[in-house]
Amino acid sequence: MTQETPWYKDAIFMELNTRAYKDSDADGWGDLPGLTSKLDYIKDLGVDAVWLLPIMPSPLRDDGYDVSDFCDIFPAYGNMDDFKTLMKEAHQRDLRIIVEIIPNHTSDQHRWFQASRDPNHPEHDKYRDWYVWSDTDQKYKDARIIFTDSETSNWTFDPLRGQYFWHRFYSTQPDLNYDNEEVQQAMLDTVKFWIDAGADGLRVDAPPYLFEREGTNCENLPETHTFLKRMRKFVDEYSPETLLLSEANQWPEDVIEYFGDGDEMHMNFHFPLMPRLFMALAKGDRTPIEEILARTPDLPEGCQWGTFLRCHDELTLEMVTPEERQWMWDTYAQDPKQRINLGIRRRLAPLVDNDQRKILLLHSMLLTMMGSPFLYYGDEIGMGDDIELFDRNGLRTPMQWDASFNAGFSDAPTERLYAPVISDPVYGYQKVNVAAQEADPHSLLNKVRHLIAIRKQHTVFGRGDFYWRSFSFETKAVVAYQRKWEGTRIVVLNNLREVPVKGWIPETAEKFIDLLSGETILPGDYTLPAYGFLWLQPVGEKANIPSGPNAPQPGYLGSDKE
Ligand code: NOJ
């Protein structure tokens, strides 16, 4: 059964950390009631669905991705009643809420692991085989280490059990054993629990690593897909409107498997596209985007890409070549402290030198190129980061609501905040905050809001086919494409360079409406300003006859051909 109304194809998503959003009880930690009080802001931004970073109990060794109880709420965030209130208030505003499930692993504090590791535990017999145990650490040598900065092996010895346990992430996050049917069932029970609690969707963390097999890299194995299809079947039968959003950080040819034949995950993030947007911008050359889109297969019916610029993790450089990775580090992370694992731990605004033109240009591509866009909380006001904080926590600092005490985030004494608010002269809350930007018509917030509002008026952006177009026939500076859906088409031009680029708007219409300004633009010669972009809706049809100094030579229509 497929979804009758694939709402996620038209949705704008926003990812946020409950802890970082709004503290309602002055303990220094954001919480569910605090988040509920900010739903109007989220709605006004144009967001349709909020993806919550993990909200379950956890010792926070991996910021909540180390879960110690899959069916409860982290106490500082509130309780299940608070979650239900959040759901009710969200639904009243036509907002959806996506929660995390983390099927691959638990915290080492989870009672399942405690029972599994301890032969004297009363429930040891039940949980003995729920994790991947071995007498040797020499198995599965072909599996890569993901947290390269902190782990040297995927095996850790447990003295109590006298065996090694397998973990793809931190050694405090033992992997569950999916060869055990009871584990598979327990994860389906977790899915059911959150659907029953009202969640509209589940973001499925790190799906590629569920199974291990000797002689493989232990990623994307057929058994993994079989289990994910089982999860989908359960969801389709139990709650067909529930979205499964998968986080398979893989190359397009491997990611496509996570959609199955439309019977696995509804959505998956397009990880390889993301660094290439930044690469193309810094090079002033669209080639990296062209190359990855050429490798991107069409999706089965009912499926959708999730696209993003930044998220709560490092800007991952796993899906680029080693040379490209080095180039990205040299370009975007000159300070070694900005690097972590195979990525860059910086927020959007600092990555692009706080240049509003570049931030908006990246949003133009995010909102029009393909799939459904994911915003990361705080990027809409250009928040900064704090690389002095541990791990990726510098990207997860308190939301900056206003210029008052603690950025309007919390009434707790400053030293009790879970993390310091950003207060440097450039990105500090005194300057960068929601209240100030709401009052300024030229603020980043208002411009991002405008782009989102226009995107939402045109279904073609979420559903349409993609075709390259040509703008300048001399340079690769412009990312020009057309989206087409059910008789509608929109042409989008994005200038990647800091200089104006002369080009030629295809004469395939009598005129174009610039959707962002409402102005009329005639086809033919046009100069796109530095980092400028246009979303053009054609009016009337006209033969494509090149003319004017910037037009292509007769007979050369370049990539305008479909
Ligand atoms: C992906 C999450 O996005 C990341 O934050 C986490 O550390 C790993 N999965 C492990 O759960």
Side-chain angles (χ1 to χ4, degrees), residues 15 51 53-54 62-66 100 102 104-105 146-147 169-170 173 203 205-206 209 247 271 311-314 391-392 396:
E15 174 195 356
W51 153 29
L53 291 172
D62 184 13
D63 213 4
Y65 284 95
D66 48 330
E100 289 270 353
I102 296 129
N104 183 66
H105 45 265
I146 296 171
F147 286 165
F169 296 95
Y170 285 126
Q173 285 165 298
R203 186 252 193 196
D205 183 69
Y209 318 107
E247 188 231 6
F271 275 93
C311 70
H312 66 291
D313 286 329
E314 67 273 31
D391 198 343
R392 294 147 290 174
R396 305 170 183 175

Side-chain angles (χ1 to χ4, degrees), residues 252 255 268-275 292-293 296 305-308 370:
V255 162
N268 197 94
F269 292 106
H270 198 315
F271 275 93
L273 175 62
M274 180 275 299
I292 204 66
L293 292 192
T296 300
W305 291 111
T307 54
F308 62 106
M370 67 190 305

Side-chain angles (χ1 to χ4, degrees), residues 2 52 92 131 140 178 201 204 233-234 241 245 252 288-289 303 318 343 358 369 391 418 462 464 483 486-487 514 545:
T2 51
L52 297 182
Q92 274 172 7
Y131 293 83
Y140 314 135
Y178 273 80
V204 182
K233 188 165 180 291
F234 169 74
E241 287 294 301
L245 163 65
I289 301 174
C303 295
E318 284 160 288
K358 293 185 191 172
M369 196 176 279
D391 198 343
Y418 77 88
R483 304 295 309 277
E486 291 195 343
D514 173 1
I545 304 164

Side-chain angles (χ1 to χ4, degrees), residues 70-211:
F70 282 115
C71 300
D72 207 347
I73 302 280
F74 184 78
Y77 300 164
N79 55 34
M80 283 312 293
D81 285 341
D82 295 322
F83 181 78
K84 286 182 180 151
T85 306
L86 169 72
M87 293 307 312
K88 187 169 133 260
E89 294 286 326
H91 287 166
Q92 274 172 7
R93 291 165 176 79
D94 219 7
L95 273 170
R96 288 181 158 93
I97 303 284
I98 315 293
V99 300
E100 289 270 353
I101 56 155
I102 296 129
N104 183 66
H105 45 265
T106 68
S107 160
D108 58 5
Q109 302 305 306
H110 197 294
R111 66 182 176 82
W112 299 344
F113 187 72
Q114 290 299 318
S116 188
R117 69 184 286 246
D118 180 358
N120 295 318
H121 191 285
E123 291 192 292
H124 179 68
D125 283 351
K126 174 167 168 56
Y127 292 107
R128 188 176 46 215
D129 296 329
W130 279 45
Y131 293 83
V132 183
W133 294 101
S134 164
D135 290 331
T136 147
D137 61 357
Q138 296 304 304
K139 286 166 81 177
Y140 314 135
K141 287 298 229 188
D142 296 332
R144 69 188 166 121
I145 292 167
I146 296 171
F147 286 165
T148 47
D149 282 1
S150 35
E151 300 296 336
T152 51
S153 168
N154 286 323
W155 291 107
T156 291
F157 187 72
D158 181 52
L160 200 54
R161 166 126 173 182
Q163 280 188 308
Y164 295 88
F165 64 88
W166 178 250
H167 54 88
R168 293 309 300 268
F169 296 95
Y170 285 126
S171 56
T172 48
Q173 285 165 298
D175 275 31
L176 286 159
N177 173 20
Y178 273 80
D179 280 318
N180 185 331
E181 162 60 26
E182 288 179 15
V183 167
Q184 296 199 15
Q185 188 54 52
M187 205 42 64
L188 297 182
D189 292 346
T190 303
V191 169
K192 179 173 178 297
F193 176 86
W194 286 103
I195 292 174
D196 289 344
D200 299 295
L202 301 164
R203 186 252 193 196
V204 182
D205 183 69
Y209 318 107
L210 300 185
F211 283 82

